[in-house]
Amino acid sequence: MVHYKAPRAFHVMTKPIGPICNLDCEYCFYLEKEKLYPETGSFRMTDEILENYVKQYIEAQQVNEVTFAWQGGEPTLMGVDFFRQAMRYQQKYRRPGMQIQNTFQTNATLLDDEWGEFFKRNKFLIGVSIDGPPEIHDKYRYDKRGQSSSEQVIRGLRILQKHKVDYNVLCVVNNHNGDYPKEVYNYFKGLGVEFMQFIPAVEHFGGKNVSPRSVTARQYGKFLCAIFDEWVINDIGKVFVQIFDIALEAWLGYPPSLCVFNETCGDALAIEHNGDLYSCDHFVTPDYHIGNIAETSVAEMVDSPFQRKFGTDKRDTLPEYCRTCEVKFACNGGCPKNRFIKTPTGEEGLNYLCAGYKQFFNHIDEPMKLMASAIQMGRPANSIMSVMRQRRQTQGRERHSGLQTSLTSGQKIGRNSPCPCGSGRKYKQCCLRNSK
């Protein structure tokens, strides 16, 4: 008899309502998953499947800190009572000394005081999907009638704040809000948000084609760089941006803890409403269907040869171009779902976002080294902010000096010429405008 041994710790995104949602966001990759179950009348997870899943998930974990991640679709459509029952099953099957945590990703439009009280009492961590100020958020995120959703999202966010529920914001960076990094970042800060994630929208339709809504690689890189430049002089220790935290792990010499940037993957799976387990949330397709918990245990499926190969393929199929890259230690080729373009030398399997990642990770190299050094010497990471401010001021003076030299030498600067200050913008959009 084969005894399967699951990884010491693994993660499953739980979809109790499958792909069903009350919004109709244009770039959502999960709404179409209804097609996987054409005969299904209801996508609600039954009580029998819920109990079986909770039991198996806990039994398969070899650590004493276990996290249940509830997602969708929109999980609030299940109602509060479903999650009250989940809490009862967690307590029924938890081992002595085991700590159980729950995370919950929502569009927040259906939250009310009952949800707020439940989340607070049970110490849930809530992820709220919001893409920026209303005029930016509503570009792609609207309800089934095509009406804006921003007002309802903010109302839900205020419910969480009212009940002092731990939460973070998940912002999908697309071709629209990707042009407004500071506006998005400052808007979130204005809402009182301290924890943020910026996830790139990449809709891939085969070949090298992506949707017009998708963020471009360089747009994503510039977006992250602009926010980092604001954060590194003002907000270290006050605002926590997931990709900055993960990058710091890499600069400290640790393996990145987020699957996107880790060398291998395969320990972050997805379970559908009917108990079907898939290799990953981004690979919920028939080709990556591992099995069903009614027929095969979670532990057996997680440790199956197919799933282990899925995880190691991320490392083993990395192009040579990536293996010799200066930021490979931080990037590791990114998520396999986005590896669909060719390298400059013609190799298959380069990440669509490669140019943006290279721009970002190179851009943050020096401040990351300073932060890592400070931490290793027992100082807080935010101790580098004064150094970074001083350097920013010095660079500003040097750019201004370069501009004055150009002007006093009689050099004619065209309105559309690169600005002599070195900002990278056109003269008319930079110092010419600032001089008026």
Side-chain angles (χ1 to χ4, degrees):
M1 180 178 178
V2 177
H3 292 281
Y4 286 89
K5 183 179 180 182
R8 278 190 53 78
F10 64 97
H11 190 70
V12 175
M13 289 188 178
T14 313
K15 313 278 188 175
I17 195 79
I20 305 302
C21 187
N22 62 315
L23 296 188
D24 200 15
C25 304
E26 281 194 33
Y27 54 65
C28 181
F29 70 94
Y30 220 81
L31 294 178
E32 65 180 29
K33 300 304 178 184
E34 284 188 60
K35 298 174 184 176
L36 286 172
Y37 304 99
E39 307 300 322
T40 298
S42 170
F43 283 84
R44 295 179 64 88
M45 181 177 281
T46 65
D47 185 74
E48 180 184 4
I49 293 173
L50 174 64
E51 181 173 11
N52 191 19
Y53 166 61
V54 171
K55 178 176 183 291
Q56 290 192 31
Y57 186 59
I58 288 175
E59 287 177 348
Q61 301 282 349
Q62 298 182 57
V63 291
N64 276 334
E65 290 188 11
V66 176
T67 298
F68 283 82
W70 307 98
Q71 299 213 355
E74 176 47 48
T76 55
L77 292 172
M78 291 298 294
V80 181
D81 286 342
F82 173 87
F83 294 98
R84 290 193 177 107
Q85 183 71 311
M87 298 302 98
R88 288 191 280 269
Y89 288 142
Q90 288 176 6
Q91 292 308 308
K92 178 179 178 180
Y93 293 108
R94 64 184 285 272
R95 297 190 293 269
M98 176 176 278
Q99 299 294 317
I100 295 181
Q101 299 175 332
N102 288 272
T103 66
F104 193 101
Q105 187 64 41
T106 176
N107 60 41
T109 60
L110 302 177
L111 298 184
D112 57 19
D113 285 327
E114 184 180 15
W115 279 110
E117 291 166 3
F118 170 78
F119 288 147
K120 180 62 178 178
R121 185 181 309 114
N122 292 282
K123 300 179 181 178
F124 271 56
L125 171 62
I126 310 302
V128 176
S129 298
I130 178 172
D131 289 352
E135 65 276 11
I136 292 177
H137 172 92
D138 291 332
K139 173 74 173 178
Y140 294 128
R141 297 186 63 86
Y142 39 77
D143 63 22
K144 300 295 185 183
R145 299 173 300 163
Q147 302 298 308
S148 66
S149 65
S150 56
E151 185 176 341
Q152 294 93 326
V153 174
I154 298 305
R155 182 187 54 77
L157 181 68
R158 296 307 185 198
I159 288 285
L160 298 176
Q161 292 174 333
K162 171 185 174 182
H163 291 277
K164 296 180 171 55
V165 176
D166 291 335
Y167 72 93
N168 59 52
V169 154
L170 188 154
C171 172
V172 176
V173 185
N174 51 66
N175 75 315
H176 181 59
N177 65 0
D179 286 337
Y180 303 98
K182 290 185 179 179
E183 290 86 347
V184 170
Y185 180 64
N186 288 325
Y187 177 71
F188 290 158
K189 286 204 299 180
L191 290 174
V193 176
E194 296 177 356
F195 296 88
M196 308 176 191
Q197 299 178 44
F198 295 105
I199 310 300
V202 181
E203 296 179 280
H204 180 217
F205 300 129
K208 296 180 183 179
N209 297 322
V210 296
S211 74
R213 295 180 292 268
S214 298
V215 67
T216 70
R218 294 197 181 279
Q219 186 182 29
Y220 187 54
K222 288 176 66 176
F223 182 93
L224 294 176
C225 288
I227 292 177
F228 183 86
D229 288 348
E230 179 78 12
W231 175 83
V232 80
I233 63 172
N234 295 314
D235 299 321
I236 301 176
K238 295 189 296 183
V239 175
F240 300 87
V241 178
Q242 184 190 52
I243 193 170
F244 302 167
D245 291 343
I246 300 300
L248 184 56
E249 291 176 348
W251 262 267
L252 282 166
Y254 301 117
S257 59
L258 185 67
C259 61
V260 171
F261 298 120
N262 210 337
E263 188 175 38
T264 60
C265 58
D267 296 338
L269 302 88
I271 190 167
E272 271 291 338
H273 65 289
N274 66 345
D276 281 346
L277 195 67
Y278 292 85
S279 291
C280 170
D281 183 43
H282 292 287
F283 288 85
V284 178
T285 65
D287 289 344
Y288 293 93
H289 176 237
I290 313 173
N292 187 285
I293 62 171
E295 301 163 354
T296 312
S297 72
V298 169
E300 184 176 345
M301 288 188 281
V302 171
D303 197 48
S304 66
F306 178 87
Q307 185 62 11
R308 291 299 99 207
K309 184 177 185 300
F310 172 81
T312 55
D313 275 351
K314 182 184 180 189
R315 174 196 63 211
D316 297 342
T317 62
L318 197 63
E320 185 62 28
Y321 178 80
C322 298
R323 296 176 192 272
T324 57
C325 177
E326 70 275 11
V327 297
K328 190 261 182 187
F329 74 101
C331 171
N332 283 306
C335 183
K337 80 178 181 71
N338 292 331
R339 292 185 185 176
F340 54 82
I341 65 173
K342 291 184 178 181
T343 70
T345 56
E347 290 179 274
E348 297 285 353
L350 183 65
N351 198 301
Y352 166 83
L353 296 167
C354 173
Y357 284 145
K358 287 188 78 168
Q359 178 186 9
F360 171 66
F361 287 125
N362 277 303
H363 181 78
I364 67 174
D365 179 56
E366 185 179 10
M368 279 293 167
K369 286 176 178 173
L370 291 174
M371 270 191 283
S373 177
I375 291 169
Q376 289 163 345
M377 295 174 67
R379 299 198 309 269
N382 64 4
S383 62
I384 77 160
M385 287 200 299
S386 59
V387 176
M388 296 307 299
R389 285 194 205 104
Q390 190 172 28
R391 291 189 180 185
R392 186 76 54 83
Q393 291 168 355
T394 301
Q395 290 168 356
R397 285 195 297 268
E398 289 174 350
R399 285 197 297 266
H400 181 73
S401 175
L403 174 63
Q404 292 301 313
T405 299
S406 297
L407 293 176
T408 55
S409 67
Q411 176 184 340
K412 183 172 177 58
I413 306 170
R415 289 172 52 81
N416 292 313
S417 300
C419 189
C421 76
S423 67
R425 291 177 291 176
K426 293 180 180 179
Y427 180 47
K428 68 180 180 182
Q429 296 170 335
C430 189
C431 291
L432 177 61
R433 182 175 63 183
N434 295 336
S435 67
K436 293 180 179 179

